[in-house]
């Protein structure tokens, strides 16, 4: 095959790719913007308004919650927008706590965590199983709101950073990233 034929074949391939709408379009990329301290605090205030609400696995408000449901509900209501999360592929209306950790938060250390940041907890390696919103980070502990399956309601907990609680430990913290196109 001559070089001219190769060039023509390459051009046809590229044009076919573009015409088939498989080409990368910058409008299709998800953008993620870290929330401000004020926005994080506003989401926390919404979560705090749900103290003593019922725990329900898969619950995402307004009257019953699981741990990720409380976080999702708080940020959705603060922004008055449902599709602000990603599952790693596209915008979605709801995510698990593990998806919040993996795709919807910038890591924070305990030294720079602020009210409204997310606390990530687990009882297994390489998978986040629980979480909440930070109220206050202290020298040796963190106070946070969460929908607790153990207490069957939304409560405020305080855990030592190195404490094992009901077989769970603190994995880390994150600042919420709002996703949009």
């Amino acid at each position: 095959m001559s070089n001219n034929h190769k060039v023509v074949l390459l051009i046809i391939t590229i044009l076919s790719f573009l015409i088939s709408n498989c080409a990368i379009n910058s409008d299709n990329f998800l953008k993620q913007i870290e929330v401000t301290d004020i926005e994080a605090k506003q989401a926390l205030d919404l979560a705090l308004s749900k103290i003593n609400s019922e725990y329900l696995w898969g619950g995402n408000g307004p009257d019953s919650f699981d741990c990720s449901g409380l976080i999702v509900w708080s940020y959705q209501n603060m922004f008055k927008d449902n599709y602000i999360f990603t599952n790693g592929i596209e915008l979605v209306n709801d995510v698990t706590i593990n998806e919040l950790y993996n795709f919807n938060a910038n890591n924070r250390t305990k030294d720079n965590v602020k009210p409204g940041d997310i606390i990530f907890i687990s009882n297994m390696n390489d998978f986040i199983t629980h979480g909440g919103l930070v109220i206050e980070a202290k020298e040796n502990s963190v106070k946070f709101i969460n929908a607790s399956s153990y207490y069957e309601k939304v409560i405020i907990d305080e855990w030592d950073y190195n404490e094992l609680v009901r077989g769970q430990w603190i994995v880390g913290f994150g600042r919420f990233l709002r996703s949009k196109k």
Side-chain angles (χ1 to χ4, degrees):
M1 182 181 286
S2 73
N3 282 342
N4 286 341
H5 285 103
K6 289 179 183 176
V7 170
V8 169
L9 186 59
L10 178 63
I11 290 171
I12 291 171
T13 303
I14 290 171
L15 286 173
S16 297
F17 184 72
L18 291 171
I19 291 169
S20 70
N21 205 17
C22 293
I24 296 173
N25 180 345
S26 63
D27 290 341
N28 289 331
F29 284 122
L30 289 177
K31 297 172 188 88
Q32 290 188 297
I33 301 163
E34 190 173 270
V35 298
T36 65
D37 290 351
I38 292 169
E39 291 167 333
K41 177 70 169 77
Q42 289 172 338
L44 172 62
D45 290 341
L46 286 166
L48 289 169
S49 74
K50 296 301 178 176
I51 291 285
N52 291 321
S53 292
E54 174 189 26
Y55 173 86
L56 176 66
W57 186 80
N60 57 7
D63 299 316
S64 56
F65 302 91
D66 68 7
C67 67
S68 62
L70 180 64
I71 297 165
V72 165
W73 179 88
S74 298
Y75 275 102
Q76 284 175 333
N77 280 279
M78 192 276 298
F79 282 114
K80 297 180 180 17
D81 191 0
N82 288 333
Y83 288 87
I84 58 173
F85 304 95
T86 179
N87 60 8
I89 300 169
E90 62 188 346
L91 285 174
V92 293
N93 187 41
D94 193 15
V95 288
T96 65
I97 193 68
N98 195 60
E99 289 169 330
L100 278 167
Y101 179 78
N102 285 307
F103 307 118
N104 295 277
N106 276 340
N107 289 334
R108 292 271 170 130
T109 67
K110 68 178 183 177
D111 297 326
N112 67 0
V113 68
K114 302 232 176 123
D117 284 343
I118 305 168
I119 182 171
F120 295 105
I121 296 168
S122 189
N123 64 0
M124 59 178 62
N125 294 325
D126 300 325
F127 195 83
I128 305 302
T129 57
H130 188 57
L133 292 177
V134 173
I135 297 169
E136 180 183 12
K138 300 178 180 179
E139 185 176 333
N140 297 313
S141 65
V142 60
K143 186 188 284 189
F144 62 99
I145 184 168
N146 67 108
S148 170
S149 62
Y150 183 80
Y151 292 105
E152 298 181 346
K153 61 183 178 178
V154 174
I155 62 161
I156 294 174
D157 257 325
E158 186 167 344
W159 288 16
D160 182 283
Y161 292 117
N162 299 311
E163 183 178 12
L164 192 64
V165 179
R166 296 180 294 281
Q168 303 172 96
W169 58 90
I170 298 170
V171 174
F173 303 93
R175 173 56 60 105
F176 177 62
L177 294 170
R178 180 182 185 187
S179 296
K180 59 183 177 178
K181 286 195 174 196

